[in-house]
Amino acid sequence: NTWGSLSAQNVCDYMGIGYDDGGTNAQARTALNHYLGSPYVPTIKGVLSKSAIKTVIDNNDPAYIQARRKKNVISYEYHAVALAGYNFSDNNNLKVRIMDPAYEVFKICAYNGSKWTFAFGSQTYTWYKTIRLLYS
């Protein structure tokens, strides 16, 4: 209610980040602190375990997912989405629901036994880091 309708572009404008530039995890944490405030403490973590994903979703605490894809030998391109749900009914076919702010749509991120991946445009991105919304 504080911010009304808030888009990814609004956040980029506030943070001074170009729409296709991507931000760092530190910048994302700063934006989350600004927009959410107390009692949340945005905390940078690695890729979440299955049990941590369940805890986040079951407690109704969405998480920020930083994903990346190899751009060339020495650099990556990044994209961020929000963790919004999970389906762990089949241990061989684990899926999480994500919200992609670039398209403002929900889609699936699937686990292939070693990593979580999802499509963004014609590219495949891999979950790399997470910002959990812990409480103070």
Side-chain angles (χ1 to χ4, degrees), residues 50 53 85-97 108-117:
K50 182 179 167 182
I53 291 168
Y86 66 88
N87 182 346
F88 295 158
S89 59
D90 177 357
N91 278 332
N92 297 320
N93 193 16
L94 303 178
K95 296 177 183 175
V96 294
R97 185 176 191 218
I108 298 298
C109 179
Y111 187 70
N112 70 7
S114 64
K115 59 187 175 182
W116 293 93
T117 61

Side-chain angles (χ1 to χ4, degrees), residues 5-35:
S5 179
L6 184 65
S7 71
Q9 290 176 333
N10 298 135
V11 176
C12 288
D13 290 344
Y14 170 76
M15 293 298 297
I17 299 169
Y19 301 144
D20 292 325
D21 292 346
T24 65
N25 282 324
Q27 289 169 320
R29 184 176 50 207
T30 297
L32 288 166
N33 268 324
H34 172 73
Y35 288 108

